[in-house]
Amino acid sequence: MRGIQIEHGIEHPHRLALRSEWKGLYMVGAVLVTHAFIGRELIATVGYLLGNVDGIVAVSIDANVDVFKARTRIWQAMKEVEQGDGVLIMTDLFGGTPSNLALSFLVNPKVEVITGVNLPMTLTFCTRRSGMKLRELAKAVRLSGTRSVARAKDLMETPDVSKTNTPVTRSLSEHLKKRS
């Protein structure tokens, strides 16, 4: 399919907004703006690992997209996940069309953009989004993405294995323990 496709990772946005207000928690939303279906597949993988995830959607963009239509779809996705605490936009490649489109939303103070999205970043967002303010969450997500990149031989040569215990692996294992 050519053009734009939006994939929804949230089923009942109004119920989630009420839940956020009731608990008094910060609830940041996320939009993955990526080439092809990278964002959709990241959300599906997080759903597989964590169970049902909410507050996150994907907008898929290809090279032949109309820029005005793409910005409109991103804006619609942002409105869908925004609950008053801001939106984190994650893109796959700095300098690519999805990233360039996302950067245009930075005029809004309740928007942060992070490029280079990967699975650890998406996991961190989904496991830590409640209770963190937008800027704080954006920093945690970016940090988890950079810390998760490693050369395997470097890990094998490290005598202290505890150094490989990243925030993402700790957060994921804590979440999985809660599900059990």
Side-chain angles (χ1 to χ4, degrees):
M1 178 180 199
R2 309 294 296 168
I4 308 166
Q5 183 172 359
I6 186 167
E7 299 293 333
H8 303 278
I10 184 169
E11 294 177 10
H12 304 287
H14 302 295
R15 185 172 65 198
L16 292 172
L18 292 173
R19 183 181 70 189
S20 175
E21 291 170 14
W22 179 71
K23 288 185 177 178
L25 297 175
Y26 295 105
M27 279 297 215
V28 175
V31 178
L32 277 56
V33 182
T34 62
H35 291 93
F37 300 107
I38 295 170
R40 178 187 73 186
E41 296 305 320
L42 284 170
I43 294 170
T45 304
V46 169
Y48 172 78
L49 294 170
L50 302 179
N52 188 32
V53 293
D54 56 17
I56 185 168
V57 297
V59 177
S60 299
I61 297 178
D62 76 17
N64 299 324
V65 70
D66 173 85
V67 175
F68 179 75
K69 288 180 183 176
R71 281 185 44 79
T72 301
R73 296 304 298 260
I74 295 167
W75 177 247
Q76 290 170 344
M78 290 171 62
K79 288 193 315 187
E80 183 176 337
V81 298
E82 213 286 320
Q83 298 175 22
D85 297 313
V87 175
L88 178 60
I89 302 175
M90 294 183 266
T91 70
D92 54 355
L93 179 66
F94 181 77
T97 302
S99 178
N100 291 337
L101 288 167
L103 293 174
S104 70
F105 290 97
L106 283 175
V107 296
N108 184 331
K110 287 192 168 190
V111 172
E112 290 273 352
V113 176
I114 299 178
T115 63
V117 68
N118 59 26
L119 184 58
M121 293 167 74
T122 311
L123 282 165
T124 297
F125 170 81
C126 291
T127 58
R128 299 185 63 191
R129 71 182 279 251
S130 63
M132 291 183 87
K133 292 183 178 182
L134 175 62
R135 184 178 171 103
E136 177 184 15
L137 181 58
K139 288 180 179 182
V141 166
R142 185 195 61 78
L143 186 61
S144 73
T146 56
R147 284 187 175 167
S148 67
V149 177
R151 182 177 156 260
K153 281 192 176 185
D154 290 341
L155 298 176
M156 293 167 52
E157 295 166 358
T158 303
D160 186 4
V161 179
S162 67
K163 291 181 181 177
T164 62
N165 187 8
T166 67
V168 173
T169 56
R170 282 193 305 273
S171 181
L172 179 58
S173 62
E174 288 169 8
H175 183 78
L176 293 174
K177 284 178 188 175
K178 290 178 186 176
R179 281 183 59 194
S180 305

